[in-house]
Amino acid sequence: MKKSGILMIIISIIFLIFVNEYYRYDGYKDVEIPEIGIAKVPESWYCSKTKDGLLYFANMPIENQGCKVYFIQHSIQDYALDTNESESGYFLEDYSLGNILSIKKIFISPYGNSDVYSNGSRYQSCTFYLNDIKVDSYYIDFEGENKSSIFFIVDDSIDMKTMEDMTKWFKKY
């Protein structure tokens, strides 16, 4: 009787691990970030590229009336953000996505809410002006082998769990 009980426990544990792994990414889809890796984003997000070749995620194409942008790629760099950081923080270049949105005075502080994962990617709080309104938000730095790419969360409906999941589930090339 003891052996069958132990066997049932082992089978149950294996089953739970399998089910957890199978449904872990439920509700997410893979999106390739060229030269960087594969990110998982919510399935409902529409993904496309700007005229400059940078990715954006929204509820529909930016040309459509009523487009709501969630997450935008700011830049691709040959180095990680760490090389820019100083004790007092620094500013990134302004960004514009057509006449839909503009991000100005992007300030990255070396302090604040942040986390770095084993895949090299991280999220961190930042401040910027979104269409001339000051916003406290986050960016995600997806780090590949030789390049990194910065994405800004520009919609406050993106919760912390979604941001953390996108960061920790990233797979670099």
Side-chain angles (χ1 to χ4, degrees), residues 3 6 13 21 27 32 48 55-56 61 71 73 84 86 91 96 116 127 130-131 140 160 166-167 170:
K3 288 183 183 181
I6 292 173
I13 290 172
E21 195 61 32
E32 179 184 2
S48 190
L55 297 174
Y56 73 88
F71 193 55
Q73 185 176 23
N84 281 342
S86 68
F91 285 91
S96 178
V116 179
T127 304
L130 178 64
N131 297 334
I140 296 177
M160 192 70 136
M166 289 189 305
T167 308
F170 173 73

Side-chain angles (χ1 to χ4, degrees), residues 41-158:
V41 299
E43 283 180 355
S44 62
W45 288 10
Y46 171 84
C47 175
S48 190
K49 289 185 178 183
T50 65
K51 293 176 186 175
D52 299 329
L54 298 175
L55 297 174
Y56 73 88
F57 299 89
N59 63 340
M60 64 181 81
I62 58 172
E63 299 83 23
N64 294 359
Q65 185 79 12
C67 174
K68 184 176 183 179
V69 179
Y70 304 122
F71 193 55
I72 58 170
Q73 185 176 23
H74 177 272
S75 59
I76 298 174
Q77 304 171 341
D78 290 329
Y79 53 85
L81 279 174
D82 292 333
T83 59
N84 281 342
E85 285 188 12
S86 68
E87 239 178 75
S88 59
Y90 59 95
F91 285 91
L92 293 178
E93 291 180 27
D94 292 348
Y95 177 89
S96 178
L97 184 58
N99 59 358
I100 303 296
L101 62 84
S102 66
I103 301 177
K104 297 179 180 176
K105 300 178 185 175
I106 305 166
F107 181 69
I108 307 294
S109 172
Y111 312 107
N113 193 5
S114 67
D115 206 351
V116 179
Y117 292 94
S118 61
N119 60 12
S121 297
R122 69 177 177 171
Y123 69 84
Q124 186 168 341
S125 57
C126 62
T127 304
F128 51 82
Y129 284 81
L130 178 64
N131 297 334
D132 298 323
I133 298 172
K134 188 175 180 179
V135 175
D136 293 323
S137 189
Y138 289 88
Y139 72 87
I140 296 177
D141 183 18
F142 293 116
E143 197 169 308
E145 283 299 319
N146 300 317
K147 296 180 184 268
S148 69
S149 186
I150 303 165
F151 285 77
F152 286 97
I153 295 173
V154 294
D155 185 78
D156 60 3
S157 69
I158 309 306

